[in-house]
Amino acid sequence: MKKPINVVVVISGSGSNLQTLIDQAAAININITGVISNIASAYGLTRAAQANIPTQVVDHTQFSDRTAFDTALMVAIDSYQPDLVVLAGFMRILTPALTKHYTGRMLNIHPSLLPKYRGLHTHKRALEAGDKEHGATVHFVTEELDGGPNVIQAIVPVADSDTEASLMEKVQEKEHKIYPQAVAWFAEGNLKMEHNKAFLMGEMLPPTGKRLPNDSSLAGTKQANN
Ligand code: GAR
């Protein structure tokens, strides 16, 4: 097995996606070297501390503008020497200087089937539009907000009875499958971004990214590889 890659996870909240990465770190061959939050009370920091992972808070309210915040964030991230930076519920918009610095080595998870519903309130917007399908996407981060090339998506059927809360829960359940999968591919050296396109094992991924089959219960790292 290859040497584990160093991963830094950046959060703003509960950190349930962080938790799945902590739980699967050995299986997917990653070493989470640091967790950074812009919110001091984020529960994800507790999860990291419980797993003995170093943490830092970079509080955006302490900076005069986005550039100053992003500069401090970059210093914090780079202090953990990441091969990959994973945004997991990080709720700040990043400057082009920061996204350029991490080109091809920063992933984000977004609670919609991108390019649908970039930005906030995705579950509400899907319900209001009467969508029959909703979901989550892992994508490479570029300077375009929620606009970098897609890596993998999971679809969630929307039931008539769904509320924002029930939909969020179903989507998060899928997130916890697709994020470890995408990170595993990266750690294996099989996932790359070149010229603003995502490649898996040398093959360009379609605009949707890979699709996690509806009934899949991904346990290993290879199952969505086909
Ligand atoms: C996740 O559902 C993620 O998709 C979303 O925040 C949640 C974080 O949950 N991210 C965004 O909305 C980014 N624009 P978690 O803290 O429990 O992992």
Side-chain angles (χ1 to χ4, degrees):
M1 202 184 225
K2 279 189 185 169
K3 188 172 167 279
I5 61 161
N6 286 351
V7 173
V8 170
V9 185
V10 187
I11 60 165
S12 297
S14 158
S16 68
N17 280 288
L18 164 67
Q19 188 68 55
T20 62
L21 294 173
I22 291 172
D23 294 345
Q24 294 187 45
I28 63 175
N29 209 24
I30 63 168
N31 182 18
I32 304 177
T33 51
V35 171
I36 298 167
S37 173
N38 64 312
I39 307 278
S41 60
Y43 182 61
L45 291 171
T46 306
R47 296 180 193 269
Q50 281 167 352
N52 294 316
I53 298 167
T55 63
Q56 270 187 67
V57 174
V58 184
D59 177 354
H60 61 281
T61 65
Q62 301 302 307
F63 296 88
S64 53
D65 57 27
R66 274 190 206 284
T67 300
F69 170 65
D70 276 13
T71 303
L73 186 59
M74 248 188 278
V75 169
I77 293 172
D78 287 346
S79 73
Y80 300 116
Q81 302 181 317
D83 298 300
L84 175 68
V85 181
V86 167
L87 305 182
F90 179 63
M91 302 306 284
R92 304 293 303 168
I93 291 172
L94 296 167
T95 58
L98 187 142
T99 56
K100 275 204 187 84
H101 182 67
Y102 297 109
T103 298
R105 53 192 184 111
M106 181 178 262
L107 295 173
N108 181 43
I109 191 152
H110 185 76
S112 77
L113 297 172
L114 289 170
K116 258 192 161 179
Y117 310 129
R118 295 177 183 185
L120 298 174
H121 311 301
T122 56
H123 311 304
K124 185 163 183 270
R125 287 155 71 196
L127 284 172
E128 281 172 2
D131 291 356
K132 296 284 173 247
E133 287 185 334
H134 186 45
T137 307
V138 176
H139 64 94
F140 277 105
V141 174
T142 62
E143 61 183 85
E144 196 182 340
L145 179 69
D146 300 328
N150 288 348
V151 173
I152 184 168
Q153 291 190 324
I155 295 175
V156 168
V158 181
D160 289 343
S161 55
D162 266 324
T163 61
E164 240 183 290
S166 69
L167 204 47
M168 187 178 95
E169 198 176 313
K170 289 188 207 171
V171 168
Q172 282 209 334
E173 201 182 302
K174 296 286 189 186
E175 290 185 355
H176 299 161
K177 296 193 167 82
I178 61 174
Y179 222 173
Q181 175 67 85
V183 172
W185 283 333
F186 193 94
E188 290 160 0
N190 285 331
L191 176 66
K192 300 205 184 321
M193 185 178 93
E194 273 159 30
H195 308 297
N196 219 37
K197 306 271 184 224
F199 291 82
L200 185 61
M201 301 210 286
E203 277 190 31
M204 200 205 295
L205 286 168
T208 54
K210 276 275 176 190
R211 280 277 170 89
L212 179 70
N214 233 338
D215 56 352
S216 167
S217 57
L218 267 188
T221 62
K222 310 276 186 191
Q223 295 177 21
N225 240 341
N226 308 309

